[in-house]
Amino acid sequence: MERRQAIKTILAATAYTMLWTSCAESNVIDFLKDGKLILNQKHQDYLGIISENILPIQKVIKNIELPADFIMRMMNDCQSSEDITKFALGFDKYKVFISESQASISEKDADQTIQLIKQKIAETEPSEDLIYFIEKVKNLSIQNVKTSAYYLTQKTDYQLIPEAYQACVIL
């Protein structure tokens, strides 16, 4: 992934999670058992906050499955144990990144917060695990919305599956 794209994804995910607690008392990797990641409620809530900041769906949340539940089910059921481990390591690095960044933030001004995040990213090269975690949360958050019954019935037009055959016969 390009450095600029990595900075954009990290910036999008962290811009508004700076004021939330980071579940610093335990590591995510500790919840990894038998190749599956089973998070406690604090980490589930924190993952939901990260997802919500990437893709805000508060207005329709009652019609769509909770993002953290969907993300964890997709990770555990559809990913290899190596990818799940990479996700857990990235989540831990994200928590460390947030806690280090919070130490340098004294004001609640959003513009200043974004500038501090940009400065922090420029100082340290984002790790591959951190980028993987944020990209996976972003992609699964989008997939959660696009596969929901609400989105498929209320936001998209009805289409036959497979689509109707469109043919023209020239005589």
Side-chain angles (χ1 to χ4, degrees):
M1 176 182 285
E2 291 182 21
R3 180 176 167 75
R4 288 182 188 188
Q5 183 62 30
I7 289 172
K8 283 182 184 178
T9 56
I10 292 172
L11 185 61
T14 60
Y16 297 103
T17 56
M18 299 299 283
L19 301 175
W20 291 92
T21 59
S22 63
C23 315
E25 70 278 354
S26 59
N27 292 327
V28 177
I29 201 74
D30 296 339
F31 296 106
L32 191 62
K33 292 176 181 68
D34 299 325
K36 302 288 182 189
L37 187 61
I38 312 299
L39 297 177
N40 64 4
Q41 191 60 46
K42 282 187 177 183
H43 283 86
Q44 284 268 6
D45 294 343
Y46 193 58
L47 184 60
I49 291 167
I50 296 168
S51 175
E52 179 68 27
N53 288 318
I54 292 172
L55 184 66
I57 57 170
Q58 281 296 336
K59 294 177 187 171
V60 294
I61 195 74
K62 62 181 179 272
N63 301 317
I64 298 175
E65 181 179 4
L66 293 174
D69 294 342
F70 180 82
I71 291 168
M72 290 315 306
R73 188 174 58 256
M74 293 301 288
M75 286 303 299
N76 287 326
D77 294 347
C78 302
Q79 301 296 316
S80 67
S81 58
E82 293 84 19
D83 287 341
I84 294 171
T85 302
K86 194 174 180 181
F87 182 84
L89 290 171
F91 198 169
D92 279 335
K93 289 180 181 178
Y94 180 83
K95 288 179 8 179
V96 168
F97 178 78
I98 291 295
S99 64
E100 288 175 356
S101 297
Q102 275 183 328
S104 63
I105 293 174
S106 59
E107 297 181 23
K108 294 182 180 179
D109 186 22
D111 292 334
Q112 224 170 358
T113 303
I114 291 171
Q115 290 304 320
L116 286 169
I117 294 169
K118 284 182 181 179
Q119 179 183 356
K120 180 87 174 148
I121 293 170
E123 291 171 2
T124 59
E125 184 72 27
S127 73
E128 187 178 317
D129 293 336
L130 177 61
I131 294 168
Y132 177 81
F133 167 74
I134 293 173
E135 281 293 320
K136 190 57 82 172
V137 170
K138 179 180 88 172
N139 293 338
L140 289 175
S141 297
I142 293 169
Q143 185 179 352
N144 181 33
V145 172
K146 285 190 168 185
T147 58
S148 69
Y150 171 77
Y151 181 81
L152 293 173
T153 58
Q154 304 296 320
K155 297 297 179 185
T156 59
D157 294 331
Y158 175 77
Q159 294 180 358
L160 291 172
I161 300 176
E163 293 181 16
Y165 181 68
Q166 302 292 327
C168 296
V169 178
I170 300 174
L171 298 174

